[in-house]
Amino acid sequence: MLAYKEMNREELKKELESLKKDYEQFRQENVNLDMSRGKPGPDQLELSMGLLDVLNSKSDMISTDGFDCRNYGVLDGIPESKKMMAAIMGTSMDNVIVYGNASLSIMYDAISRSYTHGVLGHTPWCKLEKVKWLCPVPGYDRHFAITEHFGIEMINVPMDENGPDMDMVEKLVAEDEAIKGIWCVPKYSNPTGISYSDEVVKRMAALKPKAEDFRIYWDNAYAVHHLYADKQDEILDIIAECEKAGNPDMVYEFASTSKITFSGAGVAAMATSKANIDSIKKQMSIQTIGYDKINQLRHVKFFNDFDEVKAHMMKHAELMRPKFQAVIDMLESELKPTGIGQWTNPLGGYFISLDIMEGCAKKVVAMCKDVGMVLTGAGAPFPYGKDPDDKNIRIAPTYATPEELTKASRILIVCVKIAAIEKMLEA
Amino acid sequence: MLAYKEMNREELKKELESLKKDYEQFRQENVNLDMSRGKPGPDQLELSMGLLDVLNSKSDMISTDGFDCRNYGVLDGIPESKKMMAAIMGTSMDNVIVYGNASLSIMYDAISRSYTHGVLGHTPWCKLEKVKWLCPVPGYDRHFAITEHFGIEMINVPMDENGPDMDMVEKLVAEDEAIKGIWCVPKYSNPTGISYSDEVVKRMAALKPKAEDFRIYWDNAYAVHHLYADKQDEILDIIAECEKAGNPDMVYEFASTSKITFSGAGVAAMATSKANIDSIKKQMSIQTIGYDKINQLRHVKFFNDFDEVKAHMMKHAELMRPKFQAVIDMLESELKPTGIGQWTNPLGGYFISLDIMEGCAKKVVAMCKDVGMVLTGAGAPFPYGKDPDDKNIRIAPTYATPEELTKASRILIVCVKIAAIEKMLEA
């Protein structure tokens, strides 16, 4: 097959005609496929069913520090749960607060608290004229939804294979006191799957923001979510790096077991400096008497230690690799020869990021939807849902089976090709 | 024994001398007693250990509407959990959102959301000069802590055996647009144990507040928490009453299973109108992907239906009655003859409210603490922790054993008597 740019108009038209027949064929097949959300598949959820057996009516419900996990109390989590979440984040348990089932809620809460009460004694953001935020793109749509919800102006920062453009980040935060934060998914980033290089982490930790209440929102969502046993990304510990750089209070780190055990019923945590923890706990003591300590205990008893967490993640990897591979194989065999797409082939995380011809992403997503195949909305990985180049498509290959993913990839690729040729013929 | 007011100074001095000997005796006994918080006793927690058996690794984890409770999704709770929480609140499941483990967090969240984003399109409270709140007293300290945290000016409203002073409530809300809410614990109120009369509920539902974004915060914390099978308070359904009165959006009702199953790991819910739910869900969709549906499922499977909830509450009652009785017996036999105290003898809930001689509560709490007996801080049941008469003491008789409570009551009563006599002798 020729690369499209080497085809003449007649060849392109002929190719288009053939692709449209394929597309009509898909329509007649009444497919029902979904590559839209980063949800674990049912097979992955089965891996954690033992979680429901570790506690029963005969169990000892007392935490290592002597608290009855069934009763009220323990604001920041039982010690053994702090220890487990600290291991996942690669930090010390003294830096950890354990919450409920969702790290997204912790991030919302952190921004909401900053908005209503300020950060470590600084002016509450609701009293400021303008608050701005740095958003490495493509990124996680639910992050951007939170900052948008609070009327925070979001600024796109380009990402490359090492992380965000740190020249730009350093310059902007040093100049503009209105910039109060940056969203980061530092490991197996959503959606590109890249991990921040040591240099990027060190530069991030050494930022000299004009705003003293600037915070790095370090969503370590895929901390242990490797796809391979032998090829794994590792990132530096941002909390230690911030301490070393003299910015101990500058980072909030987040993680959860949502994609380790049950997505809807895991344990989420935050890690940060002692000063931040003391301040946050003051608000928490108004907000709750304590989170679900039984679920914290259940998770600790299921895993026992961090080695078991890592072993468990390899079971996920075994289920996920064929799914990622199904998509990558199709992209390699069906799209690569045309020269009209670029994609990531990550070592972990939940996504493949596909860049197609500029101006085509919305059209492709709509075409896929028309024949029963749901993708994440085009533009979703960008603030305000606006992909400036309209070219990025986020592929979530975890929920479906490898066979479904092969089928879904075929549909996607046909649509990508049609949109590209139509665009080329317009020119 | 003579009532104190009938004793002359010499008799009082002699009584005081004898009481002080008792008090020194307590000190030497090195007691360690706690009547401070409304925590279920370990015996009560044992009643729900079966909750840990209803789900195991072989269980079907699918909700009645076909959702996998282990995975992401279902913002407002699984249907069977809505149904259960609706039954507890005495409302329809269409009015219910099921959250995580703590109703206190839902209340905090509701106020925080009103502060940052306003209520049903009205101005966010953070943009207002002043927000005020009505606080029936004595009331729940954690309620008052939330409104205080948001800088909301709290206004005391007296309570009698039928509920808040509705003449005062009606007048204030009609006059002052800054008044945006009222805290209510309508059934077995914290701490007095009284339940709102039908007339009070109807007048509450028919309020004509000047502020369109005024909301009744109806914390139905003790909805099914009766102490007796044959003597039970019932209250009108505030949501239905508000609808009838043409104020369908005026109430947020809250409840949880914290004092039904496990205090730290229950299920909490809110009930309100469709318009409010639609508005709240918009924010929720930014805040979380969903709460812990497995714990929702666990609770439904444990109870099956509302009759089982009621039967379960009678088991709690059997454990709690002797505890309440231990305190009441002591108050009746040791304090009543002196004529210096008044207390409630509730049919449900978690507290006994004791009024002693004016100006003595702080002193009594401090004296008890000095000999190893912890009470809720004096003033706690009032906004800003200020009991205007310094006379109210909240007794929480659930956590200790009846024997401990008899002992604790003896200490408390001796301190109450000492403080009263010293005050009388000062005069």
Side-chain angles (χ1 to χ4, degrees), chain A residues 140-214:
Chain A
Y140 180 32
D141 52 352
R142 291 186 184 272
H143 285 166
F144 304 150
I146 295 174
T147 26
E148 184 173 3
H149 183 68
F150 282 91
I152 294 171
E153 183 183 314
M154 295 180 278
I155 300 165
N156 291 5
V157 173
M159 294 260 285
D160 65 20
E161 68 279 12
N162 295 310
D165 177 343
M166 290 309 297
D167 290 342
M168 184 176 172
V169 171
E170 285 166 355
K171 184 165 179 292
L172 286 172
V173 302
E175 279 171 4
D176 192 346
E177 200 174 354
I179 298 175
K180 301 298 188 189
I182 182 169
W183 288 120
C184 297
V185 184
K187 196 167 180 178
Y188 302 133
S189 181
N190 176 350
T192 64
I194 68 103
S195 298
Y196 291 13
S197 70
D198 290 356
E199 192 204 334
V200 164
V201 177
K202 282 178 183 291
R203 286 176 73 179
M204 195 70 80
L207 286 175
K208 298 286 169 241
K210 194 160 183 191
E212 286 181 27
D213 52 351
F214 173 88

Side-chain angles (χ1 to χ4, degrees), chain A residues 40 53 57 71 108 117 149 283, chain B residues 40 53 57 71 108 117 149 283:
Chain A
D53 293 333
S57 56
N71 218 326
Y108 180 100
H117 288 82
H149 183 68
Q283 174 232 3
Chain B
D53 293 333
S57 56
N71 218 326
Y108 179 99
H117 288 81
H149 183 67
Q283 174 232 3

Side-chain angles (χ1 to χ4, degrees), chain A residues 51-76:
Chain A
L51 194 61
L52 299 172
D53 293 333
V54 292
L55 292 181
N56 60 49
S57 56
K58 304 280 176 279
S59 296
D60 175 14
M61 302 298 286
I62 308 299
S63 68
T64 50
D65 60 346
F67 259 94
D68 188 333
C69 291
R70 303 169 302 181
N71 218 326
Y72 286 119
V74 188
L75 193 59
D76 53 353

Side-chain angles (χ1 to χ4, degrees), chain A residues 38-40 42 45-46 49-50 52-53 55-57 59 61 68 70-72 101-102 104-105 108 112 115-117 126-127 140 142 145-146 149-150 258-259 262-265 283 285-295 298 399, chain B residues 38-40 42 45-46 49-50 52-53 55-57 59 61 68 70-72 101-102 104-105 108 112 115-117 126-127 140 142 145-146 149-150 258-259 262-265 283 285-295 298 399:
Chain A
K39 286 168 72 164
L45 298 169
E46 287 298 323
M49 286 300 283
L52 299 172
D53 293 333
L55 292 181
N56 60 49
S57 56
S59 296
M61 302 298 286
D68 188 333
R70 303 169 302 181
N71 218 326
Y72 286 119
N101 74 320
L104 191 72
S105 299
Y108 180 100
S112 185
Y115 189 85
T116 60
H117 288 82
C126 68
K127 305 294 181 200
Y140 180 32
R142 291 186 184 272
I146 295 174
H149 183 68
F150 282 91
S258 293
K259 293 187 184 86
F262 295 141
S263 324
Q283 174 232 3
S285 72
I286 307 291
Q287 192 175 26
T288 187
I289 307 175
Y291 288 94
D292 183 343
K293 298 179 295 296
I294 292 184
N295 207 33
R298 184 179 283 122
Y399 193 70
Chain B
K39 286 169 71 165
L45 298 169
E46 287 297 323
M49 285 301 282
L52 299 173
D53 293 333
L55 292 180
N56 61 48
S57 56
S59 297
M61 302 299 287
D68 188 333
R70 302 170 301 180
N71 218 326
Y72 286 119
N101 74 320
L104 192 72
S105 299
Y108 179 99
S112 184
Y115 189 85
T116 59
H117 288 81
C126 68
K127 306 294 182 200
Y140 180 32
R142 290 186 186 272
I146 295 174
H149 183 67
F150 282 91
S258 293
K259 294 186 184 86
F262 296 140
S263 324
Q283 174 232 3
S285 72
I286 306 291
Q287 193 175 26
T288 187
I289 306 174
Y291 287 93
D292 183 343
K293 297 180 295 298
I294 292 184
N295 207 32
R298 184 179 285 123
Y399 192 71

Side-chain angles (χ1 to χ4, degrees), chain A residues 47-340:
Chain A
L47 297 175
S48 299
M49 286 300 283
L51 194 61
L52 299 172
D53 293 333
V54 292
L55 292 181
N56 60 49
S57 56
K58 304 280 176 279
S59 296
D60 175 14
M61 302 298 286
I62 308 299
S63 68
T64 50
D65 60 346
F67 259 94
D68 188 333
C69 291
R70 303 169 302 181
N71 218 326
Y72 286 119
V74 188
L75 193 59
D76 53 353
I78 58 174
E80 53 267 55
S81 183
K82 284 188 188 179
K83 194 176 156 198
M84 184 182 121
M85 296 311 293
I88 289 170
M89 289 186 273
T91 185
S92 145
M93 65 181 277
D94 297 335
N95 295 321
V96 174
I97 299 175
V98 188
Y99 287 74
N101 74 320
S103 58
L104 191 72
S105 299
I106 312 179
M107 296 177 229
Y108 180 100
D109 187 55
I111 289 184
S112 185
R113 178 180 56 246
S114 306
Y115 189 85
T116 60
H117 288 82
V119 176
L120 273 191
H122 292 277
T123 309
W125 298 348
C126 68
K127 305 294 181 200
L128 300 177
E129 275 299 301
K130 174 71 93 180
V131 174
K132 299 180 191 171
W133 208 269
L134 301 184
C135 301
V137 289
Y140 180 32
D141 52 352
R142 291 186 184 272
H143 285 166
F144 304 150
I146 295 174
T147 26
E148 184 173 3
H149 183 68
F150 282 91
I152 294 171
E153 183 183 314
M154 295 180 278
I155 300 165
N156 291 5
V157 173
M159 294 260 285
D160 65 20
E161 68 279 12
N162 295 310
D165 177 343
M166 290 309 297
D167 290 342
M168 184 176 172
V169 171
E170 285 166 355
K171 184 165 179 292
L172 286 172
V173 302
E175 279 171 4
D176 192 346
E177 200 174 354
I179 298 175
K180 301 298 188 189
I182 182 169
W183 288 120
C184 297
V185 184
K187 196 167 180 178
Y188 302 133
S189 181
N190 176 350
T192 64
I194 68 103
S195 298
Y196 291 13
S197 70
D198 290 356
E199 192 204 334
V200 164
V201 177
K202 282 178 183 291
R203 286 176 73 179
M204 195 70 80
L207 286 175
K208 298 286 169 241
K210 194 160 183 191
E212 286 181 27
D213 52 351
F214 173 88
R215 292 291 179 274
I216 301 163
Y217 278 57
W218 195 256
D219 184 2
N220 205 348
Y222 307 104
V224 291
H225 302 60
H226 309 286
L227 281 171
Y228 302 92
D230 53 344
K231 291 177 287 179
Q232 300 187 343
D233 290 348
E234 289 306 337
I235 57 167
L236 289 178
D237 170 9
I238 186 72
I239 292 178
E241 292 302 321
C242 281
E243 277 170 16
K244 279 190 237 167
N247 287 323
D249 302 328
M250 199 172 65
V251 63
Y252 294 155
E253 180 169 3
F254 308 94
S256 81
T257 69
S258 293
K259 293 187 184 86
I260 297 174
T261 58
F262 295 141
S263 324
V267 171
M270 175 173 184
T272 188
S273 69
K274 187 177 181 312
N276 286 331
I277 285 181
D278 289 347
S279 167
I280 290 165
K281 279 173 70 176
K282 274 185 204 154
Q283 174 232 3
M284 282 180 82
S285 72
I286 307 291
Q287 192 175 26
T288 187
I289 307 175
Y291 288 94
D292 183 343
K293 298 179 295 296
I294 292 184
N295 207 33
Q296 294 174 15
L297 189 67
R298 184 179 283 122
H299 276 75
V300 173
K301 288 195 189 263
F302 182 53
F303 285 120
N304 298 303
D305 63 30
F306 186 51
D307 282 338
E308 289 194 32
V309 174
K310 288 190 281 187
H312 183 80
M313 292 315 291
M314 281 301 105
K315 295 184 200 162
H316 279 283
E318 276 167 41
L319 297 171
M320 291 167 76
R321 272 198 310 271
K323 299 181 177 191
F324 274 74
Q325 202 57 53
V327 176
I328 294 292
D329 284 350
M330 287 298 293
L331 291 168
E332 290 285 334
S333 64
E334 307 270 319
L335 193 58
K336 196 171 196 177
T338 67
I340 55 162

